[in-house]
Amino acid sequence: MKSRLFALAALWVMVCCGPVGAQQVPGSDATPPRLSLIEGTASFWRPGAEDWAPARLNTPLAPGDALYAGDRSDFELQIGARTFVRAAERTQLSLVNQGTAFIQLKITDGLASFDLRTLPARYTVELDTPNAVFTIDHTGYYRIEVAGDVTRFITRRGGRATITTTSGSRGILPSEEIVVRGEVAPAIETYVAPEIDSWDRWNYARTEHDAEAMSARYVPAGVYGADTLDDYGNWRQVPVYGAVWVPDRVPPDWVPYSTGSWIWDPLFGWTWIDDAPWGWAPYHYGRWVFINGFWAWAPGPVVVRPVYAPALVAFFSVGRGGVLVGTSAVSWVALGWGEPCIPWWGRPGFVGKPWWGGWGGPRVVNNVVINRTTVVNVNRISFQNTRVRDAVVAVPAERFGRVSTIRHARIPVARPAELAPVRGALPVKPAPVSLVAGGGDAAVRPPAAVLSKPVVAIRPFREHQMPLQVEGVRAKPAIAEPEPRIISVPKRPAQADLPRPPFGQESGPERPRPAPVPRFEEMKPAGTAQGRAQPESRRNEPPRRNEPIQAVPRETAPKPEQPPMRTAPPAAIPPAPPAAAPRMEPERREFREPRRNEAAPVPRETAPRESAMPRLEQPPMRATPPAVMSPAQPAAAPRMEPERREFREPRRNEAAPVPRTASPREESRIREAPAAEPRALPGKPANRMFPHEQEKAEKSR
């Protein structure tokens, strides 16, 4: 009996308090989606806010949040490692639920794409629309467009999905387009996926850019925003800390957590949003260190599973006699190397306890490395960054979380002893204005017809008003969000056993065959072979082609006549071998102009060839033996292979906003540092190339 009571008591303690690792993310172990890109204007709304507000870059989303892209605008959400959702202009997208094994979004109008390069096992993405539910559990590229009562869903790159309506579930195979018409009794048709357009090419190029980030060498795979670090800073290798990242173009008096604002998150409480476009990873993971006059972000040793935190700071309360005379204030400082975070969010038993969640480096308390079993007294922790000049930032308590852009005060380094650490929840309650981080111009509101349109769903939406009510925030809904129509679906069989949608009856054009993949020889730089010069025996050969039928008969005929051509003008015999090498270069450069039609290239390239030939002194050669014109025309054969290379460059239609690389820099509100003499960065460069690779790169130029 006693053993049973002891077991029940232990179970009760685990339920109420739970282990620290299980409570690292309250209510969910998933990292919140990140608003990673805004081109143009986008609006944001959170339940309980007074109205729509301008969306803010690097805002973490919670269930119930909604986004809307204005005219000539688009935005991007990062929902996982190499997993992105992008919405085009006049698109309304909402996050309605999220758990450890799923994320649920809804789209009521517009165009969106889901580029899922990685997806955890048994993880699903549910997309609710006005007439169908699409469930994705495979990597791939997916595109959805909702216009009135018609929904179009396209799968690419091996993507598979399931469509569910009131009539049941059906499987969707790769390279397929599903068209759903009607809302009460929707009709489903299937077609082959159309050719990709500028929207798809831009999505492909942007994901490729993010996937090739050099910063991925130093941070775990689950850390969002690593790609932006390449554009705004330098990686250095320093003793003790290893690889650290030093930001560019910051003012001399800049300190971490000084250019941004605090907002209230329904799950994580007070959350920091920085003004810098790179302000995600350095403020939710790792630690900040001060080295030789530079602030550097130290991610620490790479861990298998990183853990998101709303901010990694130590809070202090300052009385009326503190740095802000006549008023009480809230102050904070960035955590130093290995220092614990004292959580102000989460469940009882987790709040106020030292926490090293997601940190793979040594645990440091009062500048001393401790063991994992050491008991830490939070009342006696001193944080090393408080000793750095102006590193402690303060704001009046009545303005904390109320104003999107405020002027922060700095506490002198000589007065950190007056700081009283906050152990647990902050003594500041949120207000409706604390729910959004945007400011300035009024936000663009979606049309009322879009907001009032209901959707169908498999699982109910998450209750998002309760956390606000617990904190005393009076939720005043700015939008009358309709309840979803829940479809009761029995346990679904395997996707292979699902019935297929019927083929469409629309008499549209047949999709043309894709162009063949180019040969590797045709993709090399002119006159080189894997970075080495071509052998002398191959320089006199005409360029290779992909059409062997044309190449064999037409190459063998003119070759015997080439020696007489060289002997006819004796003065031309010495330069004849070198003249054959430049003959390939202009043909290689023509690879940059894609020509899609396979039957058209020969007549189209005749005129450019004739206009380019005089440059290479070819007309006299054609005049002596007219048969030489036959190999001159087949030399244009390699004309359609490089068209695939064009897809790597993002090209938008005329409604496209500012290019991706320039947009964050122009829209960022971070202050630019005044012109000054460059200082030597700490440590040594971390991103060094292997010398052999550098030599190859120089030769290719």
Side-chain angles (χ1 to χ4, degrees):
M1 185 65 180
K2 290 183 179 180
S3 60
R4 182 177 299 179
L5 292 176
F6 179 79
L8 291 175
L11 180 62
W12 174 254
V13 172
M14 293 178 61
V15 170
C16 293
C17 300
V20 172
Q23 308 226 15
Q24 55 196 16
V25 179
S28 171
D29 291 336
T31 302
R34 163 200 174 218
L35 182 55
S36 53
L37 176 71
I38 302 175
E39 289 185 338
T41 58
S43 304
F44 171 76
W45 182 80
R46 173 164 286 173
E50 296 176 345
D51 203 349
W52 289 79
R56 186 96 167 268
L57 196 65
N58 290 320
T59 297
L61 301 187
D65 293 349
L67 290 164
Y68 180 75
D71 294 336
R72 301 174 60 86
S73 305
D74 48 63
F75 62 82
E76 173 190 88
L77 295 180
Q78 185 172 8
I79 61 175
R82 298 185 181 183
T83 306
F84 302 92
V85 180
R86 302 183 181 99
E89 61 176 347
R90 294 190 294 275
T91 299
Q92 196 270 328
L93 185 71
S94 301
L95 172 66
V96 296
N97 204 346
Q98 184 182 17
T100 56
F102 75 94
I103 186 171
Q104 184 180 4
L105 302 127
K106 78 168 184 177
I107 177 173
T108 54
D109 190 69
L111 169 66
S113 64
F114 293 73
D115 202 344
L116 314 180
R117 299 295 177 98
T118 60
L119 208 61
R122 295 182 294 277
Y123 191 90
T124 60
V125 179
E126 179 181 323
L127 185 58
D128 303 333
T129 68
N131 48 14
V133 179
F134 298 91
T135 304
I136 304 170
D137 56 3
H138 286 74
T139 58
Y141 177 80
Y142 306 87
R143 170 171 169 162
I144 186 166
E145 186 172 2
V146 179
D149 62 346
V150 178
T151 300
R152 298 170 54 199
F153 185 81
I154 300 175
T155 59
R156 299 189 191 277
R157 286 209 318 262
R160 296 172 179 267
T162 303
I163 178 175
T164 304
T165 62
T166 54
S167 60
S169 299
R170 298 176 184 268
I172 305 176
L173 297 182
S175 196
E176 190 169 26
E177 179 178 14
I178 302 297
V179 180
V180 186
R181 307 175 190 270
E183 297 181 1
V184 179
I188 307 175
E189 297 176 333
T190 176
Y191 299 87
V192 66
E195 294 186 274
I196 63 174
D197 56 13
S198 59
W199 170 257
D200 301 319
R201 287 193 293 270
W202 177 74
N203 276 271
Y204 283 18
R206 176 149 177 85
T207 305
E208 288 291 342
H209 176 272
D210 297 343
E212 293 298 327
M214 293 183 296
S215 299
R217 301 175 59 203
Y218 312 109
V219 298
V223 173
Y224 301 172
D227 59 293
T228 58
L229 302 180
D230 291 354
D231 301 330
Y232 296 96
N234 299 280
W235 284 97
R236 310 291 293 183
Q237 189 75 18
V238 298
V240 179
Y241 307 126
V244 299
W245 180 80
V246 182
D248 286 340
R249 295 180 300 279
V250 293
D253 61 343
W254 175 87
V255 298
Y257 296 95
S258 63
T259 54
S261 58
W262 295 93
I263 69 166
W264 176 260
D265 187 282
L267 296 179
F268 294 91
W270 293 113
T271 301
W272 177 261
I273 298 183
D274 202 83
D275 293 341
W278 47 265
W280 179 271
Y283 293 105
H284 301 293
Y285 305 91
R287 301 294 190 268
W288 282 92
V289 294
F290 192 70
I291 311 172
N292 299 335
F294 286 90
W295 282 102
W297 178 61
V302 176
V303 296
V304 176
R305 184 179 180 183
V307 179
Y308 168 87
L312 289 165
V313 300
F315 276 108
F316 308 97
S317 60
V318 183
R320 295 183 177 274
V323 62
L324 300 176
V325 180
T327 181
S328 59
V330 177
S331 62
W332 59 90
V333 69
L335 295 179
W337 175 259
E339 292 181 336
C341 178
I342 311 301
W344 57 90
W345 74 96
R347 306 184 186 93
F350 174 70
V351 178
K353 302 294 182 63
W355 178 66
W356 283 272
W359 174 252
R363 299 187 176 190
V364 180
V365 175
N366 297 333
N367 211 21
V368 176
V369 178
I370 65 171
N371 298 323
R372 293 180 176 270
T373 57
T374 303
V375 178
V376 179
N377 186 351
V378 296
N379 298 321
R380 297 183 179 180
I381 298 179
S382 62
F383 298 91
Q384 50 190 307
N385 282 338
T386 58
R387 300 179 178 88
V388 181
R389 180 179 177 82
D390 295 336
V392 181
V393 185
V395 69
E398 63 272 11
R399 297 174 64 85
F400 181 87
R402 263 68 172 178
V403 183
S404 59
T405 303
I406 58 177
R407 182 177 179 84
H408 300 117
R410 306 291 179 87
I411 297 180
V413 68
R415 305 174 65 179
E418 300 179 3
L419 303 175
V422 175
R423 298 177 296 275
L426 297 182
V428 180
K429 293 294 182 180
V433 71
S434 306
L435 300 175
V436 295
D441 299 336
V444 179
R445 290 179 57 91
V450 174
L451 296 176
S452 60
K453 184 181 296 186
V455 298
V456 294
I458 296 177
R459 54 169 58 91
F461 293 175
R462 184 169 185 170
E463 175 62 39
H464 47 69
Q465 298 289 355
M466 185 178 301
L468 303 178
Q469 295 173 357
V470 170
E471 296 296 329
V473 178
R474 296 182 180 180
K476 180 183 178 182
I479 27 179
E481 187 177 17
E483 292 293 330
R485 292 177 293 153
I486 304 299
I487 302 176
S488 58
V489 180
K491 185 177 181 180
R492 293 189 302 232
Q495 190 178 39
D497 300 331
L498 291 174
R500 298 276 294 115
F503 284 96
Q505 302 301 319
E506 299 288 342
S507 58
E510 185 176 2
R511 175 178 169 179
R513 294 182 180 179
V517 179
R519 297 176 62 236
F520 175 65
E521 292 290 335
E522 306 297 349
M523 305 300 293
K524 297 177 185 176
T528 61
Q530 295 187 12
R532 300 186 298 271
Q534 289 187 0
E536 187 70 22
S537 59
R538 294 183 56 182
R539 289 185 179 179
N540 295 331
E541 296 181 8
R544 296 190 174 186
R545 296 175 292 278
N546 249 356
E547 291 94 349
I549 297 178
Q550 297 179 3
V552 173
R554 294 188 183 182
E555 280 186 0
T556 53
K559 279 185 178 180
E561 300 184 12
Q562 289 183 3
M565 291 166 52
R566 298 193 185 109
T567 57
I573 293 177
R583 192 176 304 158
M584 298 176 61
E585 294 181 3
E587 295 171 4
R588 298 286 179 150
R589 292 173 184 173
E590 288 184 6
F591 288 0
R592 300 178 184 176
E593 300 178 6
R595 292 177 172 85
R596 301 298 302 274
N597 195 342
E598 189 171 353
V602 174
R604 277 207 301 255
E605 293 187 354
T606 303
R609 288 283 177 192
E610 294 176 356
S611 62
M613 282 298 180
R615 224 174 19 186
L616 301 177
E617 300 179 0
Q618 295 296 331
M621 297 171 61
R622 288 201 298 267
T624 303
V628 179
M629 295 181 61
S630 177
Q633 292 176 354
R639 71 271 184 192
M640 65 182 178
E641 289 84 7
E643 65 178 299
R644 294 294 178 183
R645 294 176 66 85
E646 184 195 19
F647 295 160
R648 301 181 185 178
E649 301 177 6
R651 298 180 181 177
R652 306 295 307 277
N653 51 25
E654 59 180 9
V658 184
R660 181 255 171 197
T661 55
S663 174
R665 300 174 188 267
E666 295 176 358
E667 296 182 355
S668 171
R669 291 182 292 174
I670 187 172
R671 297 171 296 167
E672 296 289 343
E677 295 184 1
R679 297 183 297 165
L681 295 175
K684 299 180 180 180
N687 288 323
R688 294 183 183 272
M689 288 197 305
F690 186 60
H692 179 60
E693 299 295 335
Q694 188 174 3
E695 294 174 3
K696 289 170 55 179
E698 292 176 355
K699 290 182 179 180
S700 64
R701 299 192 188 102

